[in-house]
Amino acid sequence: MLNLLTAERIKLRRSKKLWIVLGILSLLPIFQVANSLMAVHYGNELVQPVDTVINGATGILMMEKNGLTILLVIGAFISFLIGEEFQNGTIRNALSLGRSRTHYYLSKFVVAALLSFVGVIILTALGMISFSIAFGFGEVAGINDYFSYAIQAFFTLYVLILSNVSIFMMISFLTKNSGISLIWTFIYTIATGFGAPIFLQTEHFKQLTYWFSLSFLFYSDFAKTADIGKFPEMILVSLITIVLSSAIGILRFTRTDIK
């Protein structure tokens, strides 16, 4: 598997897709702090539950603020990363050398997970720095131990992102085509992100809403005490999602006929 990861590292260094993803995630904080400055300049007041990030301290919530954008960008990257391997036939090179399909799948997942991690680190760090310069570091209302809170919030948000990365991986290996994978990735993200809350309208099925990790990402306020208390539940749902989606993806991939 180490050989597969080494090969992936070499390919990614030459890939424009990697730098496009990191470029987008790097520019987002700059754009958003400029937008917030304009809003304040015109007499508007930044409110944390609405604007999510209002100072350097709440910059730790940049992943929450940009959840949909992050997922769409990473989803597109994964669709092309996997789809092109099937479409160009380069997947046969690794498999013909006797590489395990499970290892091949996991190597792609590791690449996507590491890219997501590096991307959100950059996004969060630039967000905290930019908003600190513009509005001061400040604080998160109701939080006494900021360092502990920041670690928990960042880890929980990243695991929520990672659970959806695992879904995107599964979709890409099932479809084996960049374009089709891209379409289904967007459909999944929009449908589960904005469709899952429909279960809240029913008495018996409302708990199903929060078996979708996107519901936590889109509809929770990570600076609110009640939602902070749900961090363990968010992590549990995310880990279950990662295990199930990876198991389905690997199982189907091992049975796929590579032409």
Side-chain angles (χ1 to χ4, degrees), residues 133-193:
I133 292 172
F135 302 103
F137 187 76
E139 61 181 12
V140 181
I143 301 299
N144 296 321
D145 186 354
Y146 177 78
F147 182 76
S148 175
Y149 161 75
I151 295 295
Q152 291 179 54
F154 181 88
F155 178 75
T156 303
L157 283 164
Y158 173 67
V159 173
L160 287 171
I161 295 289
L162 190 60
S163 69
N164 289 282
V165 167
S166 70
I167 294 287
F168 300 157
M169 288 289 302
M170 180 189 71
I171 291 173
S172 294
F173 271 94
L174 290 179
T175 58
K176 303 184 289 295
N177 181 282
S178 297
I180 297 175
S181 174
L182 194 62
I183 292 171
W184 278 109
T185 292
F186 286 0
I187 290 174
Y188 161 80
T189 304
I190 301 302
T192 56

Side-chain angles (χ1 to χ4, degrees), residues 1 3 21 29 40 43 54 61 75 77 92 94 99 103 123 159 167 170 188 198 202 207 213 221 228 234 243 250-251:
M1 186 167 168
N3 290 336
V21 170
V40 171
I54 60 172
L61 304 179
F77 170 83
R92 292 195 297 269
R99 306 301 181 193
H103 287 170
L123 175 77
V159 173
I167 294 287
M170 180 189 71
Y188 161 80
I198 196 172
T202 65
Q207 290 302 320
S213 56
D221 182 352
I228 292 173
M234 296 180 190
V243 171
I250 291 172
L251 182 63

Side-chain angles (χ1 to χ4, degrees), residues 38-245:
M38 290 294 292
V40 171
H41 176 74
Y42 284 106
N44 295 319
E45 181 180 354
L46 298 181
V47 182
Q48 190 277 319
V50 175
D51 299 290
T52 306
V53 177
I54 60 172
N55 54 27
T58 53
I60 197 67
L61 304 179
M62 286 298 291
M63 273 186 279
E64 180 190 0
K65 183 178 180 67
N66 298 284
L68 179 60
T69 302
I70 293 170
L71 291 177
L72 293 179
V73 170
I74 297 295
F77 170 83
I78 292 173
S79 295
F80 286 106
L81 176 71
I82 307 301
E84 289 179 354
E85 295 275 13
F86 283 98
Q87 291 168 244
N88 297 334
T90 51
I91 188 173
R92 292 195 297 269
N93 297 337
L95 298 183
S96 63
L97 295 173
R99 306 301 181 193
S100 163
R101 292 198 182 194
T102 298
H103 287 170
Y104 184 87
Y105 187 101
L106 291 177
S107 70
K108 293 294 186 182
F109 180 70
V110 169
V111 167
L114 288 176
L115 172 63
S116 303
F117 183 72
V118 171
V120 297
I121 282 281
I122 293 172
L123 175 77
T124 303
L126 289 178
M128 295 181 76
I129 293 169
S130 300
F131 276 87
S132 293
I133 292 172
F135 302 103
F137 187 76
E139 61 181 12
V140 181
I143 301 299
N144 296 321
D145 186 354
Y146 177 78
F147 182 76
S148 175
Y149 161 75
I151 295 295
Q152 291 179 54
F154 181 88
F155 178 75
T156 303
L157 283 164
Y158 173 67
V159 173
L160 287 171
I161 295 289
L162 190 60
S163 69
N164 289 282
V165 167
S166 70
I167 294 287
F168 300 157
M169 288 289 302
M170 180 189 71
I171 291 173
S172 294
F173 271 94
L174 290 179
T175 58
K176 303 184 289 295
N177 181 282
S178 297
I180 297 175
S181 174
L182 194 62
I183 292 171
W184 278 109
T185 292
F186 286 0
I187 290 174
Y188 161 80
T189 304
I190 301 302
T192 56
F194 298 103
I198 196 172
F199 292 115
L200 292 174
Q201 309 304 317
T202 65
E203 182 62 30
H204 299 291
F205 298 102
K206 60 183 180 181
Q207 290 302 320
L208 288 178
T209 295
Y210 292 103
W211 278 102
F212 295 95
S213 56
L214 276 179
S215 297
F216 289 117
L217 187 62
F218 287 176
Y219 301 107
S220 298
D221 182 352
F222 284 73
K224 186 177 179 181
T225 304
D227 289 334
I228 292 173
K230 294 180 181 178
F231 281 1
E233 182 183 348
M234 296 180 190
I235 293 172
L236 176 62
V237 170
S238 297
L239 292 179
I240 291 174
T241 301
I242 292 170
V243 171
L244 288 179
S245 59

Side-chain angles (χ1 to χ4, degrees), residues 11-30:
K11 284 191 287 187
L12 280 177
R13 288 165 103 182
R14 305 170 182 172
S15 171
K16 293 181 180 178
K17 296 187 288 293
L18 170 66
W19 303 111
I20 290 173
V21 170
L22 294 180
I24 292 173
L25 297 181
S26 299
L27 290 174
L28 268 177
I30 310 301

